[in-house]
Amino acid sequence: MSSTGRDHTFQEIRVRPLHAPAFEFKELMETRRSRGFTEHDRRLEEIARETAARAASETALLLAPPVAALDEMSLVLNDGHEDLLEDARANVADGACELALELLSEYLRAHPEHQEGRYLRAYCLYRLGGPQQSEALRILRPLRDENIPDDLRERVRELRRELRRQLTPPEIAAYKHKVRSDPRGAQADLRTYLELAPEEGTVSYLLALAQAREGSLEPALDTAERGAAEADVDRREVAALARRLRLALLGPHAAPAVSAFKTGDLTRARRELLRVDPRWRSSVVLDDFDAYLTLLLSRPGWRAAPPAPRLTAERTEDLYSLIAENDGQHASVLMQTGHTDQAERLLAHILSLLPRFAWLNFLYAACLYRLRRHPDRAAACAEVARTDRTLPQADELLKAIRSWQEATVINPAVEEYIAAMESVRGGVSVDGLTALRQRLVTLERRLPAVKGAARTEAGTRVVLELAQAITERMKEIDEATVVVGLYGKYDRIMSSVRNGITGTAQADRFNGSLTTLAAEIKTARKSAGEGTRDQLDELTFLVTERLDELEGVMATLQVSELVKRFNDLAQQGSRTSPYTVRSQLGAILKEAQRIRRRARRRLDSPSRTRLDELIGTISRILR
């Protein structure tokens, strides 16, 4: 007989650490204000696509023939030309625009400033389509600014809007095609169209951007400011460009004051502001800078917690940009070229002065995330960045940082769990299981804090998986402890007969120990899991085999003992009464026959032979 050890195999480790998502800037050098005025080509491509798509999706205005409603607007001239106007109206109503144009041309030679006549002519050109639509827009341009009746003004506005809808996309496409080979000619064409359609903010934006790219910042500012004032399309974008241009022009004049502010010398900063060229001194943003310096000077401990400027959000943004725009651009370049550490130091210093500047908060949060430093501070900066709607990646960055934050708390717990389970991969003892259980109990106590760190759906899922895994492993450990203990007991029982069984008393003790162990296995199996039941079934098989083997061993011992009793009785023969001898022989025979009936197949061949010979001999004697 030999003992057989068993190693407990735990279920597969299913918990995996969190991985913070990758975050890459989309066109870092062109994020919001960091792009300067270099985005012309990219924006031109985007605008051309967007304008063409919008034109294709919009439905043309259904402009009714402008006749009946305009009857009362006409001047009664009584000069012999009124019939021409009336005939032109009738032809417009019938859709005969070419004939109406002939009548209107004759009429307008006599009355060139007649508003209705000019409008009707533009309407006819619009209906005829093709290149004549540009002429229609040119005719309507003065009417846009003239004092005309409300009904006519509304019709002029509607017709101009429809003409612009049809003409603007091809104008932008033509500009895109020409600007690379003939940038000045392309700008001239765009400027000509803008004079006809000043409401097109997109056109103002492209022209101003082209002027700024070639260094003509003051003309660009003039274009952008006029565009922002006139536009009814994309007004916000052209107004934002005008703000950027004003700040770019003002920056060099304000540089000495800004430099003094960054060193903490507020008094010198105010003196430098007074020295700014009078042409720029009246700028609102410089007034705001002066007011902010005054606010800081009134608070001696301002550097510990700089207050927010007492300004609107837009003016605060302009002030921050005046002070730190160049720093943000420089930090962007450093990040782009792999010098993130330097960018982090630069941004940390500037943010100590302007802690609420959303754009710098965005860059700083990105720096910290890339460097994997200070997750809580990075998250706070990303939250500030989200307040600026011009930073579309702020939400994506915050989400990545939240994942990173939770990973710094959750992953160590997951890694501890994995390490604990790896420690028993090669097999376990009772002591090993006890140590493993203690590690998991300690880890389980950390779960509330780990759960509190979960900020995303993925983090919550990993914590739940970890908690479930710990619970399952603890149950397995408890069951494995029982199994290992039972196997250990089996090994101890087997070690007691390592040198063989030499007597029936020893065999009886061995049998009792195995029987007791079998009962304990049966009890443990009732509450065991599937994997543990398999191991207990294997141990039950071993115990059953040993009991079967033991039955054969015990039968062999009994045969030997019966033979010895027979031999002892034979030696005593003459000294014992025949009746007693006969009685004792009968008892030996009865026991031998019982062994042959119950255990003959478990006896080895010599023992079976001896048993048969014993039975035969006694039977002959007793005849």
Side-chain angles (χ1 to χ4, degrees), residues 257-270:
V258 168
S259 178
F261 169 77
K262 290 176 182 176
T263 64
D265 191 343
L266 305 186
T267 303
R268 184 166 69 87
R270 293 195 70 191

Side-chain angles (χ1 to χ4, degrees), residues 495-572:
S495 67
S496 69
V497 294
R498 183 178 304 151
N499 298 321
I501 296 175
T502 57
T504 55
Q506 184 184 15
D508 287 339
R509 289 193 300 273
F510 185 57
N511 180 71
S513 297
L514 287 177
T515 302
T516 300
L517 177 60
E520 292 177 5
I521 294 170
K522 184 176 181 180
T523 300
R525 194 182 185 282
K526 292 178 181 178
S527 59
E530 183 176 351
T532 303
R533 283 199 299 271
D534 291 342
Q535 291 184 309
L536 290 175
D537 288 344
E538 186 176 352
L539 182 57
T540 298
F541 176 76
L542 292 175
V543 172
T544 301
E545 279 192 330
R546 299 297 84 77
L547 285 170
D548 286 346
E549 292 175 4
L550 178 61
E551 190 172 344
V553 171
M554 291 181 71
T556 299
L557 290 172
Q558 288 171 350
V559 168
S560 297
E561 188 174 331
L562 288 176
V563 171
K564 183 177 181 300
R565 283 171 59 192
F566 175 80
N567 290 335
D568 289 345
L569 186 61
Q571 290 177 0
Q572 295 173 6

